[in-house]
């Protein structure tokens, strides 16, 4: 069974049926095993507050769905029958994450523990190429990675694709616009070679924020996650949920005007943040060619670390512009934290001082602590990891999505 769809779908509110209660209890038991294994059935009962008989029935169902395994009985040193250790199945359901960047393709498979088991990133120049060509190459990479996962005993149960563009609240897999790729109105199903494996698209900044929330253990409930490679995107997490806006267009921080009379942006407006803090602007100001071969983020970090004056000046300029934009985000949203992801995380040593200076000077209507701004521990891995974790999180929340047997 393939599990695809929007990242944060909503459920109707009403009286809980017996089936709903069992679904919720399955999720509670699976969550306990995933977080604290190895556990015996008695241990699970004590942790989740259900009777041993109820837990035993739920565990049997999770085993039948291929999500939990049970080892042979071992003596625990305690009175009573020896326990049998429960654990999440290492060779069971998994999520496939895919990513199309301006300069790369990525694919990974994550198991039910949230652990990446297969990880691939390939440098590709995707900007300006036909969408069908890029998607065909992505599908080929997905097939290779899925085959590697199958060799490990993992079953891919869902596919999500991270893209640097606007993905509206549309069930048909539409990428409304990805300006840095040159895409407009691209529907994945029209180009994907296998109709049974079409992934659900999602904005890469949203997925980076969700990965931060799900996997780092350092997240507040309300924060702004800003990520950058060629473009700049932001994701808004409010009370633990992703805020998309009325049509799914929320988070376009890169096109917030920071200098209204500034240079024209690719979006058609003037003075957008991307013109000061985007990759192209930083490369230009640091004296590097826009289409420099190789990993430009690593090169910028290397030059900044060596004290290269133009690079340091370019990153300071970018940090000041970013701080100006984030001031508006803080005043509008009142977040607990600001998290810099993507390329910004890897350049944080040189960006943060200027960003903090701007925030300290401009956030005046509420308290603001410098430590509320921090880099993501995931760096550029966030969007791809978030894409794969989306399926895993859906399964963990509703184990009945997978069939018995």
């Amino acid at each position: 069974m393939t599990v695809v769809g929007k990242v944060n779908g909503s459920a109707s509110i009403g009286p809980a049926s017996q089936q709903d209660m069992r679904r919720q209890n399955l999720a509670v038991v699976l969550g306990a095993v995933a977080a604290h294994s190895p556990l015996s059935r008695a241990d699970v009962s004590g942790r989740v507050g259900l009777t041993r008989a109820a837990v035993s029935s739920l565990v049997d169902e999770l085993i039948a769905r291929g999500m939990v395994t049970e080892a042979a009985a071992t003596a625990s040193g305690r009175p009573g029958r020896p326990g049998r250790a429960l654990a999440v199945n290492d060779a069971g359901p998994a999520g496939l994450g895919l990513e199309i960047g301006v300069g790369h393709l990525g694919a990974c498979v994550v198991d039910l523990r949230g652990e990446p088991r297969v990880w691939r990133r390939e440098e590709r120049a995707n900007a300006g190429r036909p969408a069908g060509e890029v998607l065909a190459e992505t599908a080929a990479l997905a097939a290779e990675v899925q085959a590697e996962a199958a060799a490990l005993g993992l079953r891919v149960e869902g596919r999500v694709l991270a893209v640097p563009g606007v993905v509206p609240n549309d069930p048909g897999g539409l990428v409304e616009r990805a300006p840095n790729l040159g895409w407009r109105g691209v529907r994945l199903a029209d180009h994907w070679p296998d109709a049974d494996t079409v992934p659900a698209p999602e904005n890469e900044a949203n997925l980076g924020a969700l990965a931060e929330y799900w996997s780092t253990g350092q997240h507040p409930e309300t924060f702004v996650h800003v990520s950058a490679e060629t473009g700049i995107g932001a994701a808004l997490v409010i009370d633990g949920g992703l805020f998309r806006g009325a049509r799914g267009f929320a988070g376009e921080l890169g096109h917030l005007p920071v200098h209204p009379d500034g240079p024209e942006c690719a979006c058609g407006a003037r003075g957008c943040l991307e013109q000061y803090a985007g990759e192209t602007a930083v490369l230009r100001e640091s004296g590097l060619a826009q289409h420099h071969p190789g990993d430009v983020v690593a090169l910028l970090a290397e030059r900044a670390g060596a004290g290269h004056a133009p690079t340091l000046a370019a990153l300071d300029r970018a940090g000041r512009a970013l701080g100006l934009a984030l001031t508006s985000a803080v005043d509008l949203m009142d977040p607990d934290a600001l998290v810099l992801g993507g390329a910004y995380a890897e350049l944080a040593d040189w960006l943060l001082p200027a960003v903090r200076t701007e925030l300290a000077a401009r956030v005046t209507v509420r308290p603001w602590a410098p430590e509320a701004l921090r880099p993501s521990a995931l760096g550029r891995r966030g969007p791809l990891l978030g894409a794969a974790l989306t399926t895993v999180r859906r399964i963990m929340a509703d184990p009945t999505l997978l069939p018995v047997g």
Side-chain angles (χ1 to χ4, degrees), residues 205 208-209 212 216 218 223-229 232-235 253 273 277 315 318-323 325-327 329 337-356 359 368 370-383:
E212 184 78 17
T216 65
Q218 305 172 11
F223 65 97
V224 179
H225 183 277
V226 185
S227 62
E229 286 201 20
I232 300 171
L253 187 77
L273 176 62
L315 291 172
R320 284 185 281 114
L322 184 57
L326 290 176
T327 297
L338 300 172
V339 181
L340 301 188
Y344 284 159
E346 297 183 27
L347 298 170
D349 285 348
W350 304 281
L351 289 169
L352 286 179
V355 178
R356 286 189 170 129
L359 288 169
W368 180 256
E371 58 270 19
L373 171 70
R374 62 173 176 81
S376 168
L378 300 176
R380 285 182 281 174
R381 293 166 58 89

Side-chain angles (χ1 to χ4, degrees), residues 72-85:
T74 57
S76 64
R78 294 176 295 183
R81 186 178 303 172
R84 303 177 66 184

Side-chain angles (χ1 to χ4, degrees), residues 38 59 79-80 124 149 159 192 200 224 243 248 280 332 395:
V59 166
R124 302 283 179 89
R159 302 158 183 82
W192 202 261
V224 179
F243 177 74
T280 299
L332 183 65
I395 293 171

Side-chain angles (χ1 to χ4, degrees), residues 257-277:
V258 292
H259 297 293
D261 297 326
E264 185 174 358
C265 181
C267 73
R270 304 191 72 87
C272 295
L273 176 62
E274 284 189 6
Q275 298 305 302
Y276 299 89

